Amino acid sequence: MNAPTPPSSKTPATLRHEDPMTIRFEGPSPEVRISKDLARRGLYVAPAVVGIAALIWGVSGAVSALFALGLVIVNFAGSAALISLAAKISLGMVLGATMFGYLIRLAVIFAAVWIVADAPWISIPALGATIIVSHLGLLMWELRYVALSLAHSGLRADNPITPIS
Amino acid sequence: MEALTQLVMQASEFSADEAKSISAAASAGLAYGLAAIGPGIGIGFLVGKSVEAMARQPEAAGLVRTTMFLGIAFTEALALIGFVVFILLKFA
């Protein structure tokens, strides 16, 4: 009986190890949990944002602020959905989806604003200010509830808002 | 802006108002385009390094994806600021 032959030293490494670019991640994605939490916090602050815009710019400002807040929340949700879907396919797809996603989301925001820009109920300064303030404000607020540890990726376990699974 | 307006007026038969609106639109487009380049490079670099980290250590993927998502969102804020400048120049 012959002894088992040892693996050949000429075998390429790619045949013995999984290609990193084909690694995929199943299961719950932290981006979706964070974007849902961002959307929930956006809905919490929406009355205050709309009220402040109404005080400064009137009715058109209030409607524009609501529209801008919706755009920001949809932008976060779209980004998270793209990364989450791509991660279920491969790491290479994450790279591509993120870069093209950035272009597509900018184009969607541009198109959404372009369509309503000449509407009588829109106030461009209110729209612009709300986009910047709500985007950065929601992100800064969310940072308090994000866990940067290996044990709890995504949201912290002691998050006061119960995360949606 | 003023120089661009004069250039447009010299190069064509447009009136001063038309030349001003053309140069405003061109400046707005240029501002938006330039403002989108920087975040594009930043997001590409950020995601490239994150993918490299996930490939090296798949067990840390959750942590890397969390920081990557927040990094993308913060970087994208720069592009949104450029976009707001664009709509203020173009529509306001």
Side-chain angles (χ1 to χ4, degrees), chain B residues 21-62:
Chain B
S21 66
I22 290 170
S23 58
S27 307
L30 192 66
Y32 186 29
L34 287 175
I37 288 173
I41 294 169
I43 289 175
F45 193 72
L46 189 159
V47 177
K49 288 292 178 187
S50 300
V51 165
E52 193 180 310
M54 285 188 277
R56 283 177 190 273
Q57 283 188 291
E59 68 274 12

Side-chain angles (χ1 to χ4, degrees), chain A residues 75-143:
Chain A
N75 187 36
F76 282 135
S79 173
L82 267 175
I83 296 172
S84 171
L85 279 174
K88 287 181 171 56
I89 298 170
S90 74
L91 271 184
M93 190 60 84
V94 170
L95 201 55
T98 312
M99 287 314 296
F100 282 103
Y102 168 67
L103 287 177
I104 291 167
R105 280 180 289 114
L106 278 187
V108 167
I109 293 172
F110 177 80
V113 172
W114 185 274
I115 289 168
V116 301
D118 294 327
W121 47 267
I122 208 82
S123 164
I124 294 295
L127 185 76
T130 311
I131 286 176
I132 293 174
V133 170
S134 60
H135 185 94
L136 283 174
L138 284 175
L139 273 175
M140 295 297 284
W141 192 14
E142 189 66 27
L143 280 184

Side-chain angles (χ1 to χ4, degrees), chain A residues 20 25 29-31 34 75 79-80 87 95 98-99 102 105-106 109-110 113-114 117 124 128 135-136 139 146 148-150 153-154, chain B residues 32 36 39-40 43-44 47-48 54-55 60-63 65-67 69-70 72-74 76-77 79-80 83-84 86-87 91:
Chain A
F25 299 101
S29 66
E31 302 90 9
I34 292 172
N75 187 36
S79 173
L95 201 55
T98 312
M99 287 314 296
Y102 168 67
R105 280 180 289 114
L106 278 187
I109 293 172
F110 177 80
V113 172
W114 185 274
I124 294 295
H135 185 94
L136 283 174
L139 273 175
V146 167
L148 294 179
S149 73
L150 287 174
S153 58
Chain B
Y32 186 29
I43 289 175
V47 177
M54 285 188 277
L63 175 64
R65 283 170 67 180
T66 302
T67 47
F69 179 69
L70 291 171
I72 290 170
F74 272 111
E76 203 174 291
L80 287 178
F83 173 70
V84 168
F86 165 75
I87 61 172
F91 300 114

